[in-house]
Amino acid sequence: MGIRFILMVNKQGQTRLAQYYEYLTLEERRALEGEIVRKCLARTEQQCSFVEHRNYKIVYRRYASLFFLVGVDNEENELAILEFIHLLVETMDRHFGNVCELDVMFHLEKAHFMLEEMVMNGCIVETSKANILSPIQLMDKAS
């Protein structure tokens, strides 16, 4: 398994979306999120987007007011994960039209659905934006 968790966090450090692919208790999740968010938000733009924390490698990227943080195994390719983050943002942009924090907050189920289409059990299984968005578009038509 490569991806352990995916977080979307705003500039104030508030978690807007969290998806875990391994079991952690709520207390462990809260503590882990707090430590990682503080560590990543304190870094400058000139520093690289990779941080090692506990037994994870954190790959993160900032888009507008949202930070996308992905916790992976130490053996995982950082550049591939940065590419995955960019694909996730592009997919959300295509659906929401320039995705922002409010889109994620008001359409949390769609954001989770996109992640579930892309990642299964910590492995990236789909990279086609059209294939990721087609079930969501069908659901929108039906409602």
Side-chain angles (χ1 to χ4, degrees), residues 63 68 85-100 103-104 107 110-111 114 118 126-137 140:
Y63 286 92
F68 293 77
I85 292 171
H86 190 69
L87 173 69
L88 176 60
V89 172
E90 282 183 334
T91 305
M92 289 183 166
D93 275 346
R94 184 178 286 183
H95 183 73
F96 296 119
N98 203 8
V99 69
C100 66
D103 291 323
V104 175
H107 304 285
K110 288 183 182 179
M114 285 180 209
M118 296 173 80
E126 184 62 71
T127 58
S128 166
K129 291 178 213 137
N131 289 348
I132 295 164
L133 291 174
S134 63
I136 296 171
Q137 291 164 345
D140 287 346

Side-chain angles (χ1 to χ4, degrees), residues 6-38:
I6 299 171
L7 303 173
M8 285 185 210
V9 179
N10 67 9
K11 288 191 284 189
Q12 289 76 37
Q14 298 166 315
T15 303
R16 295 302 180 199
L17 180 143
Q19 181 74 42
Y20 287 85
Y21 299 101
E22 67 178 356
Y23 177 76
L24 293 173
T25 65
L26 280 175
E27 293 80 25
E28 291 172 326
R29 288 180 183 194
R30 201 171 298 125
L32 180 67
E33 286 178 26
E35 294 166 8
I36 291 171
V37 167
R38 276 192 299 279

Side-chain angles (χ1 to χ4, degrees), residues 26-72:
L26 280 175
E27 293 80 25
E28 291 172 326
R29 288 180 183 194
R30 201 171 298 125
L32 180 67
E33 286 178 26
E35 294 166 8
I36 291 171
V37 167
R38 276 192 299 279
K39 191 179 271 192
C40 291
L41 268 60
R43 295 171 62 87
T44 66
E45 294 252 340
Q46 288 74 35
Q47 292 177 299
C48 75
S49 298
F50 317 130
V51 177
E52 290 191 10
H53 181 75
R54 293 188 192 173
N55 56 337
Y56 302 110
K57 190 183 304 179
I58 312 301
V59 181
Y60 71 95
R61 184 130 187 220
R62 179 182 171 191
Y63 286 92
S65 65
L66 279 176
F67 283 85
F68 293 77
L69 299 93
V70 180
V72 296

